[in-house]
């Protein structure tokens, strides 16, 4: 299960790096590419039942919808939007790379949880737990490396673990500890639920259900910007948002067709 944990780590690094260049809703919309990757891997590896015409049509519509949203974001950024078009392209490319790693992880998990008669399937929660343990070990092993790479953290390095632990232990940072615990619990529940979806349905359905998150995230970001933070936080409505809305509706239609 160590390779699965590595794929999870690589996917997380790539999509979080991409998040530095694109908005949160655009980052979530990029998850549509994961559906395409998972579908392609399942077809190539002949996993599960063969695709039917409506499955191909649904995946194609999801792909076109994401292309519309991402293309509009890059073109309108070049035309004087809040972000540079090249940065948006870089962010989307990193998000797509992360989704490729995630798709490999999902398909691999599906294979391990499938009873093919050769060996007993791995229970979903065991899969999640062992992957999490391996993930902790991998991150701890990477800490000395990132501490020596140049960056903007304390000491001029990419990531200073000692400074992170000091901030976490500070009496003034109780909110930071609360958010960290909430984040770990939410990610744990989300990962466990995702593995159960893969086990009970298949990897494509897990990817499809993940694409429903942009609806809630976008609504939350817009509410934070216009209602709760007076424009300091969240995400504001731009010309590209109209194309993003059309792309999101197209993806929902693609999910329904699939």
């Amino acid at each position: 299960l160590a390779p699965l944990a590595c794929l999870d780590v690589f996917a997380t690094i790539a999509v979080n790096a991409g998040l530095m260049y694109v908005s949160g809703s655009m980052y979530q919309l990029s998850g549509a590419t994961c559906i395409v990757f998972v579908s392609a891997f399942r077809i190539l590896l002949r996993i599960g039942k063969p695709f039917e015409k409506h499955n191909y049509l649904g995946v194609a519509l999801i792909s076109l919808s994401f292309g519309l949203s991402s293309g509009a974001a890059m073109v309108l950024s070049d035309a004087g939007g809040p972000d540079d078009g090249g940065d948006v392209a870089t962010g989307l490319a990193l998000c797509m790379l992360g989704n490729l790693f995630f798709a490999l992880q999902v398909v691999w998990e599906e294979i391990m949880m499938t009873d093919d008669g050769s060996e007993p399937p791995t229970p979903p929660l065991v899969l999640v737990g062992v992957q999490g343990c391996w993930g902790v070990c991998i991150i701890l092993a990477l800490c000395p490396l990132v501490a020596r790479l140049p960056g903007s953290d304390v000491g001029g390095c990419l990531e200073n673990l000692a400074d992170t632990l000091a901030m976490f232990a500070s009496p003034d940072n109780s909110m930071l500890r609360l958010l960290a615990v909430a984040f770990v619990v939410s990610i744990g529940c989300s990962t466990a639920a995702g593995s159960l979806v893969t086990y009970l349905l298949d990897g494509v359905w897990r990817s499809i259900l993940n694409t429903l998150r942009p609806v809630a995230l976008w609504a939350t970001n817009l509410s934070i910007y216009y209602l709760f933070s007076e424009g300091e936080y969240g995400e504001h409505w731009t010309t590209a948002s109209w194309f993003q809305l059309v792309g999101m509706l197209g993806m929902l239609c693609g999910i329904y067709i699939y």
Side-chain angles (χ1 to χ4, degrees):
L1 294 176
L4 278 176
C6 289
L7 288 174
D8 198 359
V9 170
F10 295 152
T12 302
I13 291 173
V15 296
N16 279 283
L19 193 55
M20 295 191 298
Y21 302 102
V22 296
S23 64
S25 56
M26 200 66 225
Y27 149 70
Q28 290 287 356
L29 276 175
S30 70
T33 58
C34 188
I35 300 175
V36 180
F37 293 143
V38 171
S39 301
F41 289 140
R42 293 183 86 249
I43 293 171
L44 291 173
L45 298 175
R46 298 181 179 179
I47 301 172
K49 64 180 182 179
F51 267 37
E52 299 181 17
K53 291 181 180 179
H54 67 276
N55 298 129
Y56 286 109
L57 180 59
V59 172
L61 182 55
I62 291 169
S63 304
L64 290 173
S65 301
F66 172 69
L68 172 66
S69 301
S70 57
M74 288 185 286
V75 171
L76 293 175
S77 294
D78 283 333
D83 302 307
D84 180 74
D87 287 344
V88 173
T90 300
L92 288 173
L94 287 169
C95 289
M96 291 175 65
L97 178 63
N99 287 322
L100 176 62
F101 288 133
F102 180 68
L104 284 170
Q105 177 191 356
V106 169
V107 172
W108 199 333
E109 286 182 358
E110 184 176 351
I111 293 173
M112 295 191 67
M113 289 187 289
T114 301
D115 187 3
D116 58 1
S118 60
E119 57 183 33
T122 305
L125 296 183
V126 172
L127 195 69
V128 172
V130 176
Q131 277 191 81
C133 292
W134 272 111
V136 171
C137 294
I138 292 170
I139 292 297
L140 291 177
L142 288 175
C143 284
L145 173 63
V146 296
R148 288 173 172 78
L149 295 175
S152 57
D153 205 354
V154 174
C157 62
L158 186 62
E159 180 64 38
N160 189 323
L161 180 60
D163 179 64
T164 301
L165 294 175
M167 288 190 295
F168 194 79
S170 172
D172 299 327
N173 285 338
S174 57
M175 180 58 69
L176 175 63
R177 290 188 289 274
L178 177 62
L179 290 174
V181 171
F183 179 77
V184 170
V185 171
S186 64
I187 290 296
C189 293
S190 174
T191 304
S195 294
L196 287 170
V197 169
T198 303
Y199 176 70
L200 297 173
L201 297 173
D202 58 50
V204 180
W205 270 112
R206 179 177 178 179
S207 303
I208 285 176
L209 293 175
N210 277 337
T211 63
L212 297 176
R213 289 186 298 181
V215 180
L217 178 68
W218 200 12
T220 301
N221 276 343
L222 289 173
S223 299
I224 291 173
Y225 186 86
Y226 289 106
L227 300 178
F228 300 110
S229 69
E230 298 181 351
E232 185 176 359
Y233 302 107
E235 185 176 341
H236 66 286
W237 191 272
T238 65
T239 305
S241 300
W242 292 105
F243 293 92
Q244 194 171 331
L245 176 62
V246 173
M248 187 178 295
L249 293 175
M251 282 198 297
L252 293 176
C253 290
I255 291 171
Y256 178 76
I257 291 172
Y258 181 90

